[in-house]
C-alpha cells in the first residue's frame, strides 16, 4: 500500500492512501485536495506504473512541484521517503512495506506508548553522593592514582564513542530517541526505558521502549524519582525500590514490582531538556554505581544530540516560515516577521492600508490564441517582473487571481508613505512592462497591457479563514473600491481614488476624470488618472 502524508502550512497532518490514478490540487474535484492558496487548481498527478511504482507528473503548475528540493520538469519516479513540496504544503510519499522495514526489529518509528506519572513522597539521604557522582569529571593523566579510576574514565569515553557512532547524523528527535534507548539497552541491563522531554514547560513522554520493543501495556512512572532527578539535577539510583524508605508512598513503583530504577536528567549547557528513566523488574540491586555512571555518560551525550536535533528542527521551521513569508513579503519584511519583531497573528485588526489591484487587459482573448503552457510561461515571467517591483517598495503580495495581482501597502507593516509607495510601484510597473513588451515584440509575441486601481483607507487585516486554511489578507469597502478602479482602468492606465490622491497628489502628475459610477456605490467616485511622477520624495 502506498500513501501520502500531507503536512499543511499550519502543521496539521493527514494520510491519504493512493489509488492507481491520483490528482492533486486546490480544486475540490481532485482526488487529493490541497487547501493551500499557492497550489494550482490542478497541480499534479501521481499515477501507478506497470511495475507497481508511482510516477509524479507536474501539470504546468504556476509555482511548480518539488521533490527533495528539486523542481520537477515533466515527470519523476517516486521513491519511499521522497519529500514533495506543493506551495507551502509538505507531502511525504511512503509505503507500508517501506515503513515496516525502516522501523527494524525494535518496532515502529514512533514508539510513545501509554505512560502515566504517579506522585509520591521523597526523603533522600544519598542525594549528595549521587550529585557528586553525576558531576565527576575526567582528571589529568598525571593525577591518576589507581587503575580503577582509569577504567572508569575509559568506560565513559567508550560509551560516548559508541553512542555518537550510533546516532551520527540523526536530526529527527523521535528517531534519535529510539536509537539512544536502543544503545542504552545494549550497555545497561534495564528492562524498560522512557525519555521525557520538557515541552511548553511540561514534562512529556517522547519515547518508550522495553528491551524487546514497544511495551504493550501501560507504563507507570514514579514522580518521586523523576522529581528528585530534575530538582537536584542529579542522577538518582534506587536499588531494591520495594524496600527503599526514600520512596515510601511511591505507589507506582510498588504496583509494578520494580526492584531497581534510575532517573538521569538530560542537561545541555546548564539547561534541563528532560529526563531518562530506566528500570529493572528482574532482581534487587540490578543496577550498581557503575550503571549509574554509564547512564549519566549516555545522558550527557544524548542531551547534546537532542539539543542539536531541536536546533535543527527550529532552523527548519524558521526556514519554512521564512520561505512562506517571502512569497508574500519583501525579504527585509519577511525577516522581521520570522524574527518576531513584527507580529502576524490569526484574527483581524483595523489599520490604514493602500490596496493595489492590477490585471491584464484582453487576457481571455489572449488565452484563446495560445496554448495553456504558453499562457503559464507568459504569466510566470509577467508575475516575476511585477512582484519584484512590489517587493522593492516593501509591499505585501496578497494574492494572484488568474492574471490579477492584489498587493497591500500598510499591512502587516506600515510606513508613513504607503500610498506614495503604491503609486510609485504602479508607475514603475508600467515602465517595466514597456521594456518587456519590446522584448516580446522582438520575439514575435503580442504586447501585454494592464490596468491598475489604487485606493487608501481603513481595512481589517490579519490571518483569516478556517483551521485548515488560513491566509493573510484584508477585507472592507476599501478593497472593493480598489478592485472597481482596476476594472475601470484601460490598458496602460493607473486610476487612484480621492483618498489616495490626497496623500500623493503633490508627488505625481494627475488628471481628474469624470466621476465614476460603480456597482454598490450610491455616490459616484472621484477618480484621478496618474500621468507620471512630478518630483521625487
Amino acid at each position: 500500500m502506498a500513501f501520502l502524508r500531507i503536512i499543511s502550512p499550519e502543521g496539521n497532518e493527514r494520510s491519504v492512501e493512493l489509488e492507481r490514478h491520483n490528482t492533486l490540487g486546490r480544486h475540490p474535484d481532485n482526488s487529493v485536495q490541497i487547501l493551500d492558496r499557492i497550489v494550482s487548481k490542478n497541480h499534479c498527478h501521481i499515477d501507478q506504473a506497470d511495475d507497481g511504482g508511482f510516477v509524479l507528473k507536474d501539470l504546468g503548475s504556476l509555482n511548480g512541484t518539488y521533490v527533495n528540493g528539486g523542481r520537477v520538469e515533466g515527470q519523476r519516479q517516486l521513491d519511499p521517503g521522497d519529500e514533495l513540496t506543493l506551495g507551502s504544503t509538505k507531502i511525504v510519499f511512503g509505503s507500508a512495506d517501506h515503513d515496516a522495514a525502516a522501523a527494524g526489529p525494535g518496532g515502529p518509528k514512533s514508539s510513545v506508548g501509554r505512560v502515566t506519572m504517579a506522585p509520591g513522597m521523597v526523603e533522600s539521604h544519598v542525594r549528595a553522593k549521587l550529585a557528586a557522582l553525576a558531576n565527576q569529571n575526567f582528571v589529568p593523566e598525571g593525577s591518576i592514582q589507581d587503575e580503577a579510576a582509569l577504567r572508569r574514565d575509559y568506560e565513559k569515553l567508550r560509551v560516548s564513542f559508541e553512542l555518537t557512532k550510533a546516532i551520527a547524523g540523526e536530526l529527527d528527535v523521535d528517531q534519535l530517541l529510539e536509537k539512544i534507548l536502543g544503545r542504552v539497552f545494549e550497555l545497561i541491563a534495564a528492562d524498560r526505558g522512557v525519555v521525557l522531554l520538557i515541552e511548553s514547560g511540561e514534562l512529556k513522554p517522547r519515547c518508550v521502549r522495553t528491551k524487546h520493543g514497544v511495551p504493550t501495556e501501560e507504563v507507570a512512572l514514579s514522580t518521586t524519582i523523576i522529581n528528585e532527578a530534575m530538582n537536584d539535577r542529579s542522577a538518582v539510583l534506587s536499588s531494591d525500590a520495594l524496600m527503599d524508605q526514600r520512596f515510601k508512598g511511591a505507589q507506582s513503583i510498588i504496583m509494578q514490582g520494580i526492584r531497581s530504577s534510575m532517573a538521569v536528567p538530560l542537561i545541555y549547557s546548564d539547561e534541563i531538556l528532560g529526563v531518562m528513566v530506566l528500570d529493572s523488574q528482574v532482581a534487587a540491586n540490578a543496577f550498581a554505581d557503575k550503571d549509574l555512571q554509564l547512564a549519566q555518560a549516555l545522558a550527557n551525550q544524548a542531551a547534546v544530540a537532542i539539543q542539536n536535533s531541536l536546533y535543527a528542527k527550529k532552523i527548519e521551521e524558521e526556514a519554512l516560515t521564512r520561505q512562506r513569508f517571502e512569497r508574500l513579503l519583501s525579504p527585509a519584511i519577511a525577516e522581521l516577521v520570522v524574527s518576531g519583531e513584527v507580529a502576524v497573528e490569526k484574527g483581524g485588526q483595523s489599520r490604514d492600508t493602500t490596496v493595489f489591484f492590477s490585471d491584464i487587459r484582453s487576457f481571455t482573448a489572449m488565452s484563446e490564441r495560445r496554448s495553456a503552457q504558453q499562457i503559464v510561461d507568459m504569466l510566470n515571467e509577467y508575475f516575476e517582473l511585477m512582484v519584484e517591483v512590489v517587493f522593492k517598495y516593501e509591499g505585501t503580495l496578497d494574492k494572484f487571481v488568474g492574471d490579477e495581482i492584489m498587493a497591500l501597502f500598510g499591512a502587516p507593516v506600515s510606513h508613513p508613505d504607503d500610498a506614495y509607495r503604491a503609486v510609485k510601484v504602479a508607475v514603475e510597473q508600467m515602465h517595466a512592462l514597456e521594456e518587456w513588451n519590446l522584448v516580446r515584440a522582438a520575439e514575435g509575441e503580442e504586447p501585454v497591457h494592464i490596468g491598475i486601481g489604487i485606493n487608501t483607507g481603513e481595512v481589517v487585516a490579519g490571518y483569516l479563514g478556517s483551521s485548515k486554511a488560513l491566509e493573510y489578507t484584508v477585507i472592507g469597502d476599501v478593497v472593493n473600491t480598489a478592485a472597481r478602479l482596476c476594472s475601470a482602468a484601460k490598458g496602460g492606465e493607473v486610476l487612484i481614488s480621492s483618498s489616495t490622491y490626497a496623500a500623493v497628489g503633490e508627488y505625481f502628475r494627475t488628471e481628474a476624470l469624470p466621476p465614476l459610477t460603480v456597482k454598490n456605490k450610491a455616490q459616484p467616485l472621484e477618480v484621478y488618472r496618474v500621468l507620471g511622477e512630478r518630483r521625487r520624495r
Side-chain angles (χ1 to χ4, degrees):
M1 179 190 75
F3 63 90
L4 299 177
R5 183 163 63 92
I6 303 171
I7 306 167
S8 73
E10 295 76 38
N12 300 317
E13 293 191 22
R14 61 189 172 104
S15 292
V16 175
E17 186 174 342
L18 291 176
E19 306 292 339
R20 288 192 60 83
H21 177 65
N22 310 271
T23 62
L24 286 73
R26 187 160 39 87
H27 197 279
D29 287 346
N30 288 284
S31 56
V32 182
Q33 185 183 16
I34 307 295
L35 296 174
D36 183 332
R37 69 185 187 85
I38 305 178
V39 171
S40 298
K41 291 181 180 178
N42 299 293
H43 201 99
C44 63
H45 287 173
I46 298 179
D47 297 325
Q48 189 170 26
D50 293 338
D51 61 1
F54 282 83
V55 176
L56 168 70
K57 182 179 181 181
D58 183 77
L59 299 179
S61 57
L62 181 61
N63 290 301
T65 303
Y66 294 81
V67 175
N68 301 327
R71 183 162 185 164
V72 175
E73 302 293 343
Q75 62 184 35
R76 168 177 174 149
Q77 178 81 30
L78 292 178
D79 296 317
D82 278 349
E83 200 170 278
L84 287 63
T85 303
L86 279 65
S88 298
T89 301
K90 185 170 75 172
I91 301 175
V92 179
F93 172 74
S95 67
D97 292 342
H98 172 263
D99 283 358
K109 293 181 180 179
S110 178
S111 62
V112 181
R114 294 178 299 162
V115 177
T116 60
M117 291 186 287
M121 303 294 291
V122 56
E123 292 291 339
S124 176
H125 63 272
V126 295
R127 181 182 304 157
K129 174 186 175 183
L130 294 174
L133 181 62
N135 294 328
Q136 191 178 63
N137 295 318
F138 293 107
V139 298
E141 179 270 337
S143 301
I144 297 176
Q145 300 296 320
D146 56 44
E147 182 181 337
L150 182 61
R151 288 182 177 277
R152 283 195 302 270
D153 286 347
Y154 170 80
E155 190 67 1
K156 291 180 186 178
L157 289 173
R158 185 185 72 85
V159 167
S160 295
F161 172 76
E162 291 293 335
L163 184 60
T164 300
K165 185 170 64 173
I167 62 179
E170 183 58 71
L171 294 179
D172 181 88
V173 175
D174 295 319
Q175 296 283 342
L176 179 67
L177 298 180
E178 285 283 344
K179 291 182 177 181
I180 289 171
L181 283 183
R183 187 47 55 104
V184 166
F185 288 125
E186 294 178 13
L187 298 169
I188 298 175
D191 293 320
R192 302 184 310 182
V194 180
V195 177
L196 304 101
L197 299 182
I198 297 176
E199 299 176 357
S200 302
E202 296 183 7
L203 202 59
K204 297 182 180 179
R206 285 294 298 267
C207 188
V208 185
R209 278 197 63 166
T210 71
K211 62 183 178 182
H212 302 298
V214 181
T216 57
E217 60 185 23
E218 185 175 22
V219 175
L221 300 178
S222 171
T223 55
T224 304
I225 304 171
I226 294 171
N227 287 342
E228 178 150 336
M230 297 286 288
N231 293 339
D232 298 323
R233 306 168 76 88
S234 302
V236 177
L237 169 63
S238 172
S239 297
D240 197 3
L242 284 173
M243 300 173 61
D244 194 334
Q245 292 303 306
R246 291 190 310 122
F247 301 110
K248 183 179 180 181
Q251 296 299 317
S252 60
I253 291 178
I254 299 172
M255 178 177 66
Q256 298 196 41
I258 298 170
R259 313 291 291 193
S260 299
S261 58
M262 290 189 292
V264 188
L266 302 167
I267 302 176
Y268 175 82
S269 188
D270 208 38
E271 177 186 358
I272 297 182
L273 306 180
V275 63
M276 179 171 65
V277 181
L278 305 172
D279 62 44
S280 171
Q281 296 175 286
V282 177
N285 301 315
F287 301 138
D289 286 351
K290 178 182 177 182
D291 295 307
L292 193 62
Q293 292 181 51
L294 287 178
Q296 184 65 64
L298 288 165
N300 291 341
Q301 194 71 15
V304 174
I306 291 169
Q307 186 62 62
N308 288 341
S309 179
L310 294 174
Y311 277 148
K313 181 67 175 177
K314 181 180 179 180
I315 291 171
E316 180 184 0
E317 289 174 352
E318 287 185 354
L320 288 173
T321 301
R322 183 176 289 103
Q323 181 186 43
R324 201 171 297 145
F325 279 118
E326 283 181 349
R327 294 176 183 270
L328 307 176
L329 309 172
S330 69
I333 300 301
E335 189 61 40
L336 293 177
V337 174
V338 173
S339 66
E341 295 182 50
V342 173
V344 180
E345 301 174 350
K346 183 178 179 180
Q349 59 177 172
S350 296
R351 58 192 306 141
D352 288 329
T353 302
T354 297
V355 182
F356 173 109
F357 278 94
S358 71
D359 62 16
I360 298 174
R361 294 295 169 255
S362 304
F363 179 71
T364 301
M366 182 184 295
S367 299
E368 292 174 351
R369 295 191 294 270
R370 296 287 185 272
S371 68
Q373 187 59 56
Q374 288 175 319
I375 292 298
V376 167
D377 292 342
M378 183 272 288
L379 283 177
N380 277 334
E381 194 172 351
Y382 165 74
F383 285 143
E384 192 76 30
L385 289 171
M386 299 298 103
V387 172
E388 183 179 354
V389 181
V390 172
F391 284 175
K392 177 181 176 181
Y393 291 94
E394 297 186 339
T396 299
L397 177 62
D398 186 287
K399 62 173 66 73
F400 298 122
V401 181
D403 60 306
E404 181 183 78
I405 297 174
M406 178 180 173
L408 312 173
F409 295 82
V413 178
S414 297
H415 304 89
D417 59 346
D418 280 317
Y420 171 82
R421 291 171 185 247
V423 180
K424 181 70 172 174
V425 166
V427 171
E428 288 199 11
Q429 282 189 347
M430 289 299 185
H431 291 323
L433 199 62
E434 288 177 9
E435 295 180 6
W436 187 47
N437 279 332
L438 292 176
V439 175
R440 288 179 59 80
E443 296 173 347
E445 298 289 345
E446 60 184 303
V448 173
H449 300 292
I450 65 173
I452 296 175
I454 301 173
N455 188 26
T456 302
E458 188 174 281
V459 300
V460 176
Y463 267 115
L464 307 175
S466 71
S467 59
K468 293 184 177 180
L470 284 173
E471 66 174 17
Y472 187 83
T473 189
V474 295
I475 58 174
D477 184 62
V478 171
V479 180
N480 299 333
T481 299
R484 297 284 186 265
L485 291 173
C486 178
S487 298
K490 300 174 183 177
E493 268 192 336
V494 178
L495 300 185
I496 62 175
S497 65
S498 58
S499 57
T500 303
Y501 172 79
V504 306
E506 61 180 302
Y507 301 109
F508 296 93
R509 292 182 293 107
T510 61
E511 176 186 1
L513 298 180
L516 179 65
T517 301
V518 299
K519 184 179 180 181
N520 297 327
K521 283 286 185 181
Q523 299 296 325
L525 299 175
E526 291 183 39
V527 181
Y528 298 83
R529 178 191 293 129
V530 176
L531 302 177
E533 194 165 11
R534 187 191 304 275
R535 63 184 178 89
R536 295 184 180 277
R537 287 180 60 89

